[in-house]
Amino acid sequence: MADADSTLPPLAPGTLYLVATPIGNLEDITLRALRTLRECDVVAAEDTRRTGQLLTYFGISRPILSYFRFNEARRGEEILQRLSQGAKVALVTDAGTPGISDPGERVVRAARQAGFRVEAVPGPCALVAALTASGLPSEEFHFIGFLPVKSGQRRRRLENLRGVEGTLVFYESPWRIEKLLEGLAELYPQARVVVARELTKKFEQFLAGSAAELLDRIRQRPLKGEMVVLVSRELAAPQAPEGSPAATPSA
Ligand code: SAM
């Protein structure tokens, strides 16, 4: 059982807190995330404007420092400097868990190497929400995140994943979902595929079927919004009886 007392100690000076934020539904912020954001000295954010809006929504006012992929090295130094002065630094990204297909890993490694304390303030993460609600095997899974943009590299990566066990979990954009499903239809024609879309939001949707079935579906009606694509080679997509139209992807 959770230890209620463990929520009581104040934030520790010289600590980097990795704070997960909602991936759509603002009710998903945790009490600990709110307290960390309220009590930290500075919030290091991927996008200062978006984080400013989030803080305002929750009635929190803290200094915000920009920290994103292209200034990670320089801003990382600044964060370490603040930690060395005893600051409590909260790192957030635009949505979800920092370090998961988002900035974070680099400054965490540098902070640990420099001997600073790093704490996770866990919470929303699209991969966990998608996997656990997909109905696909979750005992063993492999998180791939985004495939490379270049088609040759994408294909090679998909081919190399043939040898990997468990459910595959991809992050994908609406612009490239068709390309991903084409690759999956070619390399994993029997697999059961789930597209988990707009998780935690008003139009959340799970579409399941073979990659070819889902491809037909999105060619008729393109998918918008944010999505996670999951692939199980253990569970075959149900086959439509011979002579009948292909099974409609299930929502
Ligand atoms: N750090 C985030 C996390 O913990 O999930 C991921 C950030 S990554 C830049 C953004 C990608 O995550 C999106 O392109 C999409 O693949 C996935 N994603 C984020 N929010 C989502 C949502 N509400 N529904 C479905 N997928 C989502």
Side-chain angles (χ1 to χ4, degrees):
M1 198 182 124
D3 175 2
D5 284 348
S6 67
T7 61
L8 293 176
L11 300 192
T15 302
L16 177 64
Y17 293 89
L18 293 188
V19 182
T21 55
I23 57 169
N25 188 331
L26 291 173
E27 287 185 354
D28 290 337
I29 192 119
T30 69
L31 296 176
R32 186 163 167 237
L34 287 176
R35 186 165 69 88
T36 305
L37 293 171
R38 208 176 286 122
E39 294 180 9
C40 69
D41 296 302
V42 63
V43 179
E46 188 185 5
D47 178 333
T48 54
R49 202 177 56 91
R50 279 188 70 160
T51 297
Q53 287 166 350
L54 183 80
L55 296 187
T56 304
Y57 180 86
F58 289 109
I60 297 171
S61 166
R62 299 314 300 142
I64 305 178
L65 177 81
S66 147
Y67 173 79
F68 63 93
R69 243 182 245 293
F70 304 107
N71 69 8
E72 250 181 306
R74 191 160 51 83
R75 291 302 200 179
E77 281 300 313
E78 200 172 325
I79 289 173
L80 294 195
Q81 204 179 6
R82 299 225 184 190
L83 291 172
S84 70
Q85 291 159 355
K88 297 155 247 168
V89 181
L91 178 75
V92 300
T93 55
D94 290 352
T97 300
I100 300 296
S101 293
D102 261 343
E105 179 185 323
R106 196 165 165 163
V107 70
V108 166
R109 195 174 309 119
R112 286 203 174 276
Q113 276 167 0
F116 294 110
R117 191 179 162 80
V118 179
E119 274 188 35
V121 182
C125 180
L127 104 88
V128 176
L131 178 67
T132 50
S134 68
L136 296 184
S138 58
E139 189 170 287
E140 183 171 355
F141 65 91
H142 191 87
F143 176 60
I144 294 103
F146 292 100
L147 284 176
V149 175
K150 291 194 175 149
S151 53
Q153 291 175 5
R154 282 171 82 84
R155 198 192 151 80
R156 259 194 306 285
R157 183 90 174 95
L158 276 182
E159 279 171 356
N160 292 341
L161 289 168
R162 274 185 167 147
V164 172
E165 305 261 314
T167 299
L168 304 177
V169 187
F170 300 87
Y171 281 171
E172 195 47 284
S173 76
W175 303 279
R176 279 192 282 272
I177 181 74
E178 201 172 322
K179 278 259 158 299
L180 175 58
L181 291 174
E182 281 169 4
L184 294 175
E186 187 189 338
L187 294 167
Y188 308 104
Q190 310 296 335
R192 185 161 177 82
V193 178
V194 172
V195 176
R197 200 177 72 82
E198 295 289 86
L199 291 161
T200 78
K201 303 184 197 175
K202 191 170 171 188
F203 297 109
E204 175 173 303
Q205 185 183 34
F206 284 80
L207 295 166
S210 68
E213 286 166 356
L214 293 175
L215 204 49
D216 271 358
R217 153 75 173 74
I218 70 160
R219 280 179 178 154
Q220 286 164 31
R221 202 152 26 104
L223 290 182
K224 291 190 191 141
E226 299 195 279
M227 53 196 85
V228 181
V229 178
L230 306 103
V231 181
S232 168
R233 281 83 39 95
E234 269 171 61
L235 294 181
Q239 297 296 301
E242 239 174 84
S244 73
T248 313
S250 53

